[in-house]
Structure formats: C-alpha cells, structure tokens
Amino acid sequence: KAGVTQTPRYLIKTRGQQVTLSCSPISGHRSVSWYQQTPGQGLQFLFEYFSETQRNKGNFPGRFSGRQFSNSRSEMNVSTLELGDSALYLCASSLRGETAFFGQGTRLTVV
Amino acid sequence: AQRVTQPEKLLSVFKGAPVELKCNYSYSGSPELFWYVQYSRQRLQLLLRHISRESIKGFTADLNKGETSFHLKKPFAQEEDSAMYYCALKGDTGANSKLTFGKGITLSVRP
C-alpha cells in the first residue's frame, strides 16, 4: 500500500506570495491532518479534515487554509507569506483520526 | 487545553545501557498517548500507542494517570535506536481530538 505522498518536496517562495501544498493520503484513509514543524516550536497542529469537512483547527492565522476533496486528497494554502512561515509542513492520514501515518513533508523556504 | 512536555532535549547513552525518555502530559479527560520516532532522513512514524500495550523494537511505555506520565523505556539501547522521539497526546472530545506533540528528544546511542 502506498504511503502518504506530499508534493512538492521543496519550495522556495518570496515574501508576500502564496503557496499551495498537496497531500495524497493512504488509500482508504478519510482523515487528513496538517502540521508545521520548526526547530523552535516543534510540531504544531494546523488543521484536520475528514470527509471534506474541517473537523479541527489549530491556532494559526487565517492566512493558513486548507481543503479536502472527495477522493480524500488535501491541499493546504498559505497566503501573504512571511519569513516565519519557513518550515517543514507535514501531512498525516488515518482511517478516522486515530493512528496517524505521516508523509515526508514539504520544505518551504520563504525569502 | 492539552499539553505534552518532554523535559529533556538530548539523551546520550552507550550501547547496552538502559534508556528512559520522559513524557508528561496535561489533560483533564481521557487521553490517548503515543510515541512517534523519526530516524535520520526518514518520515515520522508511530512507535507505539498506550492502548496497544505492546512492545515495539524492545520499547515499552506505561500510562501513569496518577503522575500524568507516559515514559518510554528500553532496557538495552542499540545504535539503531538513535533518532528523534516525540511523545503525543490525542484528546477524547471535539476540539481536543487533535494530536498534540511534545518538543521531542534526540536519543544518541554510542558504540
């Protein structure tokens, strides 16, 4: 069974731009969660989607948004990028929200 | 609010020595506790969860509700155990059902 796939693996963006990250969950998994990982703050929860509905949201500004499609694939969007948004963004999938299986992550660098 | 504390950032031991990675949590309901591991250049993966009560790669962890702890232990460390370890908590209701991670600890096992 293929694992969680995130694309792209690396991104370099300029301040003020926007970016969209993609996550394909394990086949059959309906829950997708997003996390931001930085050296200073560790892993911080962004949001969770289940069956195309946002089920949970972390404490991030409205510039961070996401969505989930009918095939459970998910996208995360960050608008008006700031230098502090540079991080590894991880996606995790699970059947219904229990044990999470993580992707390799997308490394976003904002310059 | 839920919180996970891993008080140490680094633990360095010799091969064959016992290992204990500490994790304390704060949550008023009935949490589910996990340990995740990230080996060098690999994705974050589940090591064990408290409800399974199983031993994975020689590691065990017992949930102590009185001390609100979920320490990870292994009697004899191996070099291949060197990795980053994260303790995580999942709440049992609504907005608390997200995964909250500790800051992580680097385990270094020397030959």
Side-chain angles (χ1 to χ4, degrees):
Chain A
K1 201 189 264 194
V4 178
T5 304
Q6 292 186 244
T7 56
R9 292 291 310 279
Y10 303 92
L11 265 178
I12 300 176
K13 290 286 188 178
T14 305
R15 272 180 300 176
Q17 287 186 311
Q18 75 162 12
V19 67
T20 299
L21 313 182
S22 180
C23 172
S24 293
I26 292 172
S27 178
H29 283 192
R30 295 167 64 189
S31 170
V32 174
S33 299
W34 290 88
Y35 298 83
Q36 182 194 65
Q37 186 176 28
T38 58
Q41 299 298 319
L43 279 152
Q44 292 186 287
F45 173 78
L46 280 155
F47 27 67
E48 179 194 6
Y49 286 87
F50 183 83
S51 293
E52 302 179 65
T53 301
Q54 188 179 85
R55 189 158 74 171
N56 224 327
K57 190 176 190 305
N59 297 322
F60 278 80
R63 300 185 296 107
F64 292 80
S65 63
R67 59 178 175 168
Q68 187 180 32
F69 302 95
S70 57
N71 61 358
S72 293
R73 190 177 71 84
S74 178
E75 287 183 348
M76 190 191 96
N77 185 275
V78 187
S79 62
T80 320
L81 283 165
E82 300 176 0
L83 294 179
D85 297 333
S86 295
L88 180 67
Y89 289 89
L90 294 173
C91 165
S93 78
S94 62
L95 273 172
R96 287 174 295 277
E98 58 311 321
T99 304
F101 293 84
F102 283 83
Q104 293 274 40
T106 293
R107 172 75 63 186
L108 172 65
T109 302
V110 183
V111 298
Chain B
Q2 57 210 67
R3 189 168 66 244
V4 176
T5 303
Q6 293 181 252
E8 299 156 331
K9 288 187 176 182
L10 171 68
L11 179 64
S12 184
V13 301
F14 285 106
K15 177 182 172 182
V19 167
E20 181 177 69
L21 307 183
K22 297 187 189 303
C23 173
N24 290 91
Y25 67 89
S26 172
Y27 184 68
S28 56
S30 295
E32 189 169 357
L33 276 296
F34 305 82
W35 276 97
Y36 280 83
V37 61
Q38 190 167 29
Y39 301 102
S40 179
R41 284 185 282 278
Q42 292 188 29
R43 64 184 67 196
L44 195 61
Q45 57 187 283
L46 178 70
L47 180 62
L48 52 81
R49 51 196 299 208
H50 89 271
I51 62 172
S52 300
R53 300 191 63 81
E54 55 190 345
S55 173
I56 305 292
K57 298 184 179 184
F59 285 97
T60 59
D62 289 318
L63 179 60
N64 186 322
K65 292 187 178 180
E67 295 183 359
T68 59
S69 68
F70 188 57
H71 303 326
L72 184 68
K73 299 178 184 179
K74 184 169 183 177
F76 307 103
Q78 303 299 314
E79 289 178 68
E80 54 266 30
D81 296 328
S82 295
M84 188 81 174
Y85 291 79
Y86 294 92
C87 181
L89 176 153
K90 184 177 168 66
D92 56 350
T93 61
N96 298 320
S97 63
K98 62 190 178 190
L99 261 181
T100 298
F101 286 86
K103 292 285 179 75
I105 180 170
T106 300
L107 174 63
S108 173
V109 182
R110 293 168 287 171

mmCIF file of all heavy atoms in Angstrom, chain A residues 3-39:
data_model
loop_
_atom_site.group_PDB
_atom_site.id
_atom_site.type_symbol
_atom_site.label_atom_id
_atom_site.label_comp_id
_atom_site.label_asym_id
_atom_site.label_seq_id
_atom_site.Cartn_x
_atom_site.Cartn_y
_atom_site.Cartn_z
ATOM 1 N N GLY A 3 2.298 4.901 0.690
ATOM 2 C CA GLY A 3 2.197 5.745 1.871
ATOM 3 C C GLY A 3 1.621 7.101 1.548
ATOM 4 O O GLY A 3 1.174 7.368 0.433
ATOM 5 N N VAL A 4 1.682 7.995 2.510
ATOM 6 C CA VAL A 4 1.208 9.360 2.326
ATOM 7 C C VAL A 4 2.206 10.096 1.437
ATOM 8 O O VAL A 4 3.415 10.062 1.694
ATOM 9 C CB VAL A 4 1.078 10.075 3.682
ATOM 10 C CG1 VAL A 4 0.639 11.510 3.473
ATOM 11 C CG2 VAL A 4 0.106 9.321 4.583
ATOM 12 N N THR A 5 1.695 10.733 0.412
ATOM 13 C CA THR A 5 2.560 11.429 -0.539
ATOM 14 C C THR A 5 2.310 12.918 -0.502
ATOM 15 O O THR A 5 1.165 13.368 -0.624
ATOM 16 C CB THR A 5 2.300 10.920 -1.970
ATOM 17 O OG1 THR A 5 2.476 9.499 -2.000
ATOM 18 C CG2 THR A 5 3.271 11.563 -2.955
ATOM 19 N N GLN A 6 3.388 13.677 -0.337
ATOM 20 C CA GLN A 6 3.273 15.129 -0.324
ATOM 21 C C GLN A 6 4.062 15.718 -1.480
ATOM 22 O O GLN A 6 5.176 15.286 -1.765
ATOM 23 C CB GLN A 6 3.807 15.705 0.995
ATOM 24 C CG GLN A 6 2.962 15.345 2.194
ATOM 25 C CD GLN A 6 3.417 16.049 3.448
ATOM 26 O OE1 GLN A 6 3.861 15.414 4.402
ATOM 27 N NE2 GLN A 6 3.286 17.373 3.465
ATOM 28 N N THR A 7 3.465 16.683 -2.131
ATOM 29 C CA THR A 7 4.151 17.385 -3.216
ATOM 30 C C THR A 7 3.928 18.880 -3.098
ATOM 31 O O THR A 7 2.863 19.326 -2.629
ATOM 32 C CB THR A 7 3.623 16.912 -4.596
ATOM 33 O OG1 THR A 7 2.194 17.099 -4.641
ATOM 34 C CG2 THR A 7 3.964 15.456 -4.834
ATOM 35 N N PRO A 8 4.914 19.676 -3.507
ATOM 36 C CA PRO A 8 6.263 19.247 -3.856
ATOM 37 C C PRO A 8 7.079 18.943 -2.603
ATOM 38 O O PRO A 8 6.603 19.168 -1.489
ATOM 39 C CB PRO A 8 6.808 20.486 -4.583
ATOM 40 C CG PRO A 8 6.129 21.631 -3.908
ATOM 41 C CD PRO A 8 4.749 21.147 -3.577
ATOM 42 N N ARG A 9 8.262 18.432 -2.750
ATOM 43 C CA ARG A 9 9.101 18.165 -1.590
ATOM 44 C C ARG A 9 9.785 19.432 -1.090
ATOM 45 O O ARG A 9 9.999 19.600 0.110
ATOM 46 C CB ARG A 9 10.166 17.119 -1.928
ATOM 47 C CG ARG A 9 9.617 15.722 -2.175
ATOM 48 C CD ARG A 9 9.063 15.080 -0.891
ATOM 49 N NE ARG A 9 10.007 15.152 0.222
ATOM 50 C CZ ARG A 9 11.028 14.324 0.395
ATOM 51 N NH1 ARG A 9 11.255 13.359 -0.481
ATOM 52 N NH2 ARG A 9 11.829 14.458 1.437
ATOM 53 N N TYR A 10 10.128 20.297 -2.011
ATOM 54 C CA TYR A 10 10.807 21.543 -1.656
ATOM 55 C C TYR A 10 10.195 22.707 -2.426
ATOM 56 O O TYR A 10 9.792 22.558 -3.574
ATOM 57 C CB TYR A 10 12.311 21.463 -1.981
ATOM 58 C CG TYR A 10 13.013 20.322 -1.296
ATOM 59 C CD1 TYR A 10 13.139 19.085 -1.923
ATOM 60 C CD2 TYR A 10 13.544 20.476 -0.023
ATOM 61 C CE1 TYR A 10 13.778 18.031 -1.289
ATOM 62 C CE2 TYR A 10 14.184 19.419 0.619
ATOM 63 C CZ TYR A 10 14.295 18.201 -0.025
ATOM 64 O OH TYR A 10 14.925 17.169 0.614
ATOM 65 N N LEU A 11 10.155 23.857 -1.734
ATOM 66 C CA LEU A 11 9.614 25.074 -2.344
ATOM 67 C C LEU A 11 10.375 26.277 -1.820
ATOM 68 O O LEU A 11 10.646 26.359 -0.623
ATOM 69 C CB LEU A 11 8.145 25.254 -1.943
ATOM 70 C CG LEU A 11 7.036 24.745 -2.844
ATOM 71 C CD1 LEU A 11 5.689 25.013 -2.185
ATOM 72 C CD2 LEU A 11 7.102 25.424 -4.208
ATOM 73 N N ILE A 12 10.661 27.198 -2.721
ATOM 74 C CA ILE A 12 11.215 28.487 -2.304
ATOM 75 C C ILE A 12 10.286 29.563 -2.826
ATOM 76 O O ILE A 12 9.982 29.606 -4.023
ATOM 77 C CB ILE A 12 12.642 28.709 -2.845
ATOM 78 C CG1 ILE A 12 13.572 27.618 -2.324
ATOM 79 C CG2 ILE A 12 13.151 30.091 -2.444
ATOM 80 C CD1 ILE A 12 14.979 27.693 -2.874
ATOM 81 N N LYS A 13 9.808 30.394 -1.911
ATOM 82 C CA LYS A 13 8.873 31.462 -2.272
ATOM 83 C C LYS A 13 9.371 32.785 -1.709
ATOM 84 O O LYS A 13 10.167 32.829 -0.772
ATOM 85 C CB LYS A 13 7.479 31.151 -1.712
ATOM 86 C CG LYS A 13 6.777 29.991 -2.400
ATOM 87 C CD LYS A 13 6.280 30.400 -3.768
ATOM 88 C CE LYS A 13 5.422 29.344 -4.401
ATOM 89 N NZ LYS A 13 4.905 29.774 -5.724
ATOM 90 N N THR A 14 8.834 33.848 -2.257
ATOM 91 C CA THR A 14 9.184 35.197 -1.814
ATOM 92 C C THR A 14 8.108 35.718 -0.872
ATOM 93 O O THR A 14 6.929 35.352 -1.006
ATOM 94 C CB THR A 14 9.309 36.133 -3.036
ATOM 95 O OG1 THR A 14 10.247 35.571 -3.949
ATOM 96 C CG2 THR A 14 9.766 37.520 -2.623
ATOM 97 N N ARG A 15 8.504 36.527 0.072
ATOM 98 C CA ARG A 15 7.542 37.153 0.981
ATOM 99 C C ARG A 15 6.399 37.799 0.211
ATOM 100 O O ARG A 15 6.610 38.444 -0.810
ATOM 101 C CB ARG A 15 8.227 38.243 1.804
ATOM 102 C CG ARG A 15 8.859 37.782 3.076
ATOM 103 C CD ARG A 15 9.506 38.930 3.808
ATOM 104 N NE ARG A 15 10.540 39.571 3.019
ATOM 105 C CZ ARG A 15 11.215 40.642 3.398
ATOM 106 N NH1 ARG A 15 10.939 41.223 4.548
ATOM 107 N NH2 ARG A 15 12.143 41.165 2.639
ATOM 108 N N GLY A 16 5.195 37.607 0.716
ATOM 109 C CA GLY A 16 4.021 38.191 0.070
ATOM 110 C C GLY A 16 3.338 37.269 -0.925
ATOM 111 O O GLY A 16 2.164 37.468 -1.247
ATOM 112 N N GLN A 17 4.057 36.274 -1.398
ATOM 113 C CA GLN A 17 3.445 35.323 -2.334
ATOM 114 C C GLN A 17 2.537 34.361 -1.588
ATOM 115 O O GLN A 17 2.469 34.369 -0.354
ATOM 116 C CB GLN A 17 4.531 34.529 -3.080
ATOM 117 C CG GLN A 17 5.282 35.317 -4.124
ATOM 118 C CD GLN A 17 6.227 34.419 -4.924
ATOM 119 O OE1 GLN A 17 7.000 33.643 -4.363
ATOM 120 N NE2 GLN A 17 6.162 34.538 -6.238
ATOM 121 N N GLN A 18 1.851 33.535 -2.346
ATOM 122 C CA GLN A 18 1.061 32.484 -1.727
ATOM 123 C C GLN A 18 1.565 31.137 -2.231
ATOM 124 O O GLN A 18 2.258 31.061 -3.248
ATOM 125 C CB GLN A 18 -0.422 32.650 -2.040
ATOM 126 C CG GLN A 18 -0.816 32.272 -3.448
ATOM 127 C CD GLN A 18 -2.324 32.040 -3.569
ATOM 128 O OE1 GLN A 18 -3.105 32.366 -2.679
ATOM 129 N NE2 GLN A 18 -2.743 31.471 -4.677
ATOM 130 N N VAL A 19 1.209 30.075 -1.497
ATOM 131 C CA VAL A 19 1.697 28.754 -1.850
ATOM 132 C C VAL A 19 0.612 27.716 -1.565
ATOM 133 O O VAL A 19 -0.197 27.880 -0.645
ATOM 134 C CB VAL A 19 2.977 28.426 -1.049
ATOM 135 C CG1 VAL A 19 2.682 28.275 0.437
ATOM 136 C CG2 VAL A 19 3.649 27.180 -1.584
ATOM 137 N N THR A 20 0.602 26.683 -2.376
ATOM 138 C CA THR A 20 -0.333 25.567 -2.174
ATOM 139 C C THR A 20 0.459 24.276 -2.090
ATOM 140 O O THR A 20 1.275 23.985 -2.961
ATOM 141 C CB THR A 20 -1.347 25.473 -3.330
ATOM 142 O OG1 THR A 20 -2.117 26.677 -3.382
ATOM 143 C CG2 THR A 20 -2.284 24.294 -3.110
ATOM 144 N N LEU A 21 0.206 23.534 -1.028
ATOM 145 C CA LEU A 21 0.861 22.250 -0.817
ATOM 146 C C LEU A 21 -0.183 21.148 -0.958
ATOM 147 O O LEU A 21 -1.336 21.341 -0.578
ATOM 148 C CB LEU A 21 1.481 22.184 0.583
ATOM 149 C CG LEU A 21 2.324 23.382 1.043
ATOM 150 C CD1 LEU A 21 2.889 23.120 2.423
ATOM 151 C CD2 LEU A 21 3.417 23.677 0.045
ATOM 152 N N SER A 22 0.262 19.994 -1.447
ATOM 153 C CA SER A 22 -0.679 18.913 -1.708
ATOM 154 C C SER A 22 -0.329 17.668 -0.906
ATOM 155 O O SER A 22 0.843 17.391 -0.642
ATOM 156 C CB SER A 22 -0.673 18.592 -3.204
ATOM 157 O OG SER A 22 -1.575 17.550 -3.482
ATOM 158 N N CYS A 23 -1.356 16.929 -0.545
ATOM 159 C CA CYS A 23 -1.176 15.702 0.226
ATOM 160 C C CYS A 23 -2.136 14.632 -0.289
ATOM 161 O O CYS A 23 -3.358 14.847 -0.329
ATOM 162 C CB CYS A 23 -1.449 15.977 1.699
ATOM 163 S SG CYS A 23 -1.477 14.493 2.740
ATOM 164 N N SER A 24 -1.581 13.482 -0.658
ATOM 165 C CA SER A 24 -2.406 12.339 -1.044
ATOM 166 C C SER A 24 -2.333 11.303 0.065
ATOM 167 O O SER A 24 -1.245 10.774 0.341
ATOM 168 C CB SER A 24 -1.916 11.743 -2.362
ATOM 169 O OG SER A 24 -2.125 12.640 -3.414
ATOM 170 N N PRO A 25 -3.449 11.009 0.716
ATOM 171 C CA PRO A 25 -3.405 10.083 1.858
ATOM 172 C C PRO A 25 -3.299 8.632 1.400
ATOM 173 O O PRO A 25 -3.404 8.330 0.213
ATOM 174 C CB PRO A 25 -4.761 10.328 2.529
ATOM 175 C CG PRO A 25 -5.661 10.740 1.412
ATOM 176 C CD PRO A 25 -4.792 11.525 0.466
ATOM 177 N N ILE A 26 -3.093 7.766 2.361
ATOM 178 C CA ILE A 26 -3.112 6.333 2.093
ATOM 179 C C ILE A 26 -4.506 5.968 1.602
ATOM 180 O O ILE A 26 -5.517 6.469 2.130
ATOM 181 C CB ILE A 26 -2.754 5.546 3.371
ATOM 182 C CG1 ILE A 26 -1.278 5.791 3.716
ATOM 183 C CG2 ILE A 26 -3.023 4.056 3.214
ATOM 184 C CD1 ILE A 26 -0.863 5.230 5.060
ATOM 185 N N SER A 27 -4.552 5.091 0.617
ATOM 186 C CA SER A 27 -5.827 4.696 0.044
ATOM 187 C C SER A 27 -6.783 4.189 1.128
ATOM 188 O O SER A 27 -6.417 3.349 1.953
ATOM 189 C CB SER A 27 -5.595 3.585 -0.994
ATOM 190 O OG SER A 27 -6.808 3.145 -1.526
ATOM 191 N N GLY A 28 -7.996 4.745 1.136
ATOM 192 C CA GLY A 28 -8.984 4.337 2.123
ATOM 193 C C GLY A 28 -9.027 5.222 3.357
ATOM 194 O O GLY A 28 -10.001 5.179 4.120
ATOM 195 N N HIS A 29 -7.976 6.007 3.559
ATOM 196 C CA HIS A 29 -7.967 6.914 4.712
ATOM 197 C C HIS A 29 -8.796 8.146 4.404
ATOM 198 O O HIS A 29 -8.658 8.756 3.342
ATOM 199 C CB HIS A 29 -6.530 7.327 5.050
ATOM 200 C CG HIS A 29 -5.766 6.268 5.758
ATOM 201 N ND1 HIS A 29 -4.549 6.499 6.359
ATOM 202 C CD2 HIS A 29 -6.036 4.942 5.960
ATOM 203 C CE1 HIS A 29 -4.112 5.377 6.915
ATOM 204 N NE2 HIS A 29 -4.989 4.424 6.679
ATOM 205 N N ARG A 30 -9.651 8.530 5.352
ATOM 206 C CA ARG A 30 -10.537 9.662 5.133
ATOM 207 C C ARG A 30 -10.156 10.889 5.942
ATOM 208 O O ARG A 30 -10.688 11.962 5.739
ATOM 209 C CB ARG A 30 -11.968 9.240 5.466
ATOM 210 C CG ARG A 30 -12.499 8.148 4.522
ATOM 211 C CD ARG A 30 -13.747 7.527 5.045
ATOM 212 N NE ARG A 30 -14.847 8.478 5.116
ATOM 213 C CZ ARG A 30 -16.014 8.221 5.705
ATOM 214 N NH1 ARG A 30 -16.218 7.060 6.275
ATOM 215 N NH2 ARG A 30 -16.963 9.122 5.713
ATOM 216 N N SER A 31 -9.241 10.715 6.895
ATOM 217 C CA SER A 31 -8.820 11.847 7.722
ATOM 218 C C SER A 31 -7.439 12.313 7.287
ATOM 219 O O SER A 31 -6.522 11.502 7.122
ATOM 220 C CB SER A 31 -8.786 11.421 9.193
ATOM 221 O OG SER A 31 -8.169 12.412 9.977
ATOM 222 N N VAL A 32 -7.297 13.609 7.099
ATOM 223 C CA VAL A 32 -6.002 14.207 6.764
ATOM 224 C C VAL A 32 -5.741 15.368 7.704
ATOM 225 O O VAL A 32 -6.598 16.244 7.874
ATOM 226 C CB VAL A 32 -5.973 14.707 5.302
ATOM 227 C CG1 VAL A 32 -4.667 15.448 5.033
ATOM 228 C CG2 VAL A 32 -6.112 13.540 4.334
ATOM 229 N N SER A 33 -4.566 15.363 8.312
ATOM 230 C CA SER A 33 -4.167 16.444 9.218
ATOM 231 C C SER A 33 -2.895 17.088 8.706
ATOM 232 O O SER A 33 -2.082 16.429 8.053
ATOM 233 C CB SER A 33 -3.916 15.907 10.634
ATOM 234 O OG SER A 33 -5.077 15.335 11.162
ATOM 235 N N TRP A 34 -2.732 18.342 9.033
ATOM 236 C CA TRP A 34 -1.540 19.095 8.634
ATOM 237 C C TRP A 34 -0.834 19.621 9.869
ATOM 238 O O TRP A 34 -1.494 20.071 10.840
ATOM 239 C CB TRP A 34 -1.927 20.266 7.728
ATOM 240 C CG TRP A 34 -2.389 19.877 6.366
ATOM 241 C CD1 TRP A 34 -3.662 19.564 5.961
ATOM 242 C CD2 TRP A 34 -1.574 19.765 5.189
ATOM 243 N NE1 TRP A 34 -3.677 19.269 4.627
ATOM 244 C CE2 TRP A 34 -2.417 19.380 4.124
ATOM 245 C CE3 TRP A 34 -0.209 19.948 4.931
ATOM 246 C CZ2 TRP A 34 -1.943 19.189 2.819
ATOM 247 C CZ3 TRP A 34 0.246 19.762 3.638
ATOM 248 C CH2 TRP A 34 -0.606 19.389 2.604
ATOM 249 N N TYR A 35 0.499 19.604 9.811
ATOM 250 C CA TYR A 35 1.318 20.096 10.906
ATOM 251 C C TYR A 35 2.443 20.965 10.342
ATOM 252 O O TYR A 35 2.939 20.724 9.247
ATOM 253 C CB TYR A 35 1.952 18.941 11.693
ATOM 254 C CG TYR A 35 0.944 18.043 12.347
ATOM 255 C CD1 TYR A 35 0.329 17.029 11.637
ATOM 256 C CD2 TYR A 35 0.586 18.230 13.678
ATOM 257 C CE1 TYR A 35 -0.619 16.216 12.227
ATOM 258 C CE2 TYR A 35 -0.348 17.416 14.281
ATOM 259 C CZ TYR A 35 -0.945 16.414 13.552
ATOM 260 O OH TYR A 35 -1.887 15.619 14.149
ATOM 261 N N GLN A 36 2.845 21.927 11.151
ATOM 262 C CA GLN A 36 4.013 22.735 10.828
ATOM 263 C C GLN A 36 5.132 22.327 11.793
ATOM 264 O O GLN A 36 4.911 22.259 13.004
ATOM 265 C CB GLN A 36 3.704 24.229 11.013
ATOM 266 C CG GLN A 36 4.863 25.140 10.660
ATOM 267 C CD GLN A 36 4.658 26.573 11.159
ATOM 268 O OE1 GLN A 36 4.615 26.819 12.356
ATOM 269 N NE2 GLN A 36 4.520 27.510 10.217
ATOM 270 N N GLN A 37 6.297 22.028 11.245
ATOM 271 C CA GLN A 37 7.425 21.637 12.086
ATOM 272 C C GLN A 37 8.561 22.644 11.933
ATOM 273 O O GLN A 37 9.061 22.865 10.818
ATOM 274 C CB GLN A 37 7.920 20.227 11.737
ATOM 275 C CG GLN A 37 8.992 19.712 12.683
ATOM 276 C CD GLN A 37 9.410 18.288 12.387
ATOM 277 O OE1 GLN A 37 9.334 17.823 11.255
ATOM 278 N NE2 GLN A 37 9.857 17.573 13.418
ATOM 279 N N THR A 38 8.957 23.249 13.033
ATOM 280 C CA THR A 38 10.082 24.186 13.049
ATOM 281 C C THR A 38 11.016 23.826 14.200
ATOM 282 O O THR A 38 10.568 23.217 15.178
ATOM 283 C CB THR A 38 9.620 25.643 13.238
ATOM 284 O OG1 THR A 38 8.868 25.735 14.466
ATOM 285 C CG2 THR A 38 8.743 26.099 12.084
ATOM 286 N N PRO A 39 12.291 24.191 14.103
ATOM 287 C CA PRO A 39 13.225 23.866 15.193
ATOM 288 C C PRO A 39 12.799 24.473 16.529
ATOM 289 O O PRO A 39 12.956 23.860 17.572
ATOM 290 C CB PRO A 39 14.545 24.464 14.708
ATOM 291 C CG PRO A 39 14.419 24.523 13.229
ATOM 292 C CD PRO A 39 12.972 24.809 12.960
#
